[in-house]
Amino acid sequence: GKPVLGICLGMQLLGEIGTEFGDCAGLGWIPGRVEIIPRGESNLRLPQIGWNELEVREGAQLFTNIEGDSSCYFVHSYQLLTTDPSDVVATVDYGGPVTAAVERDNIFGAQFHPEKSARVGLAVLDNFANI
């Protein structure tokens, strides 16, 4: 019942299955699969490295008192695709919506790096510490 926060790969480990080197079991704390970010016909680079603007779902605990148009720093090629869309509390646009943060009961995840995300990242860590 204690709050847990997975950051970057730590968030991906919260899922049921990771696919980077074939199907590998995750912790299964948030139902879903970790899959590569689709590049489609675009010239998107993977890994995605850099700042991206968050789109935050109202009521997300990690983002309490944080402006909705805030940006965070990402370094990743994979994302957690949740079975239950309500587990996703923030996304970014990188050739389409990409999972940026999840919340389910006492389990929280941030695909971005709060420690590299300036004031927004510090606010996310502060919000988690206050849960």
Side-chain angles (χ1 to χ4, degrees), residues 1-48:
K2 293 190 186 285
V4 173
L5 174 62
I7 295 173
C8 195
L9 178 59
M11 182 180 111
Q12 295 174 8
L13 289 171
L14 300 175
E16 296 171 301
I17 300 289
T19 61
E20 188 167 358
F21 299 105
D23 285 357
C24 298
L27 295 171
W29 293 350
I30 296 191
R33 294 175 58 86
V34 176
E35 297 187 3
I36 196 160
I37 297 169
R39 291 169 45 175
E41 300 293 320
S42 68
N43 291 326
L44 292 175
R45 292 187 175 177
L46 291 180
Q48 174 197 7

Side-chain angles (χ1 to χ4, degrees), residues 7 19 21 41 53 66 77 93 100 104 108-109 111-112 124:
I7 295 173
T19 61
F21 299 105
E41 300 293 320
E53 188 174 316
I66 297 175
S77 297
D93 181 11
R104 181 182 188 92
F108 300 84
Q111 184 61 61
F112 56 91
V124 166

Side-chain angles (χ1 to χ4, degrees), residues 26-99:
L27 295 171
W29 293 350
I30 296 191
R33 294 175 58 86
V34 176
E35 297 187 3
I36 196 160
I37 297 169
R39 291 169 45 175
E41 300 293 320
S42 68
N43 291 326
L44 292 175
R45 292 187 175 177
L46 291 180
Q48 174 197 7
I49 300 175
W51 294 85
N52 205 326
E53 188 174 316
L54 297 171
E55 186 165 322
V56 177
R57 189 181 82 203
E58 190 173 323
Q61 295 179 72
L62 286 179
F63 299 95
T64 300
N65 297 322
I66 297 175
E67 296 175 19
D69 61 350
S70 298
S71 295
C72 289
Y73 188 80
F74 290 81
V75 179
H76 66 127
S77 297
Y78 288 78
Q79 68 171 319
L80 175 56
L81 300 172
T82 63
T83 302
D84 183 348
S86 69
D87 290 338
V88 177
V89 297
T91 59
V92 294
D93 181 11
Y94 197 69
V98 172
T99 305

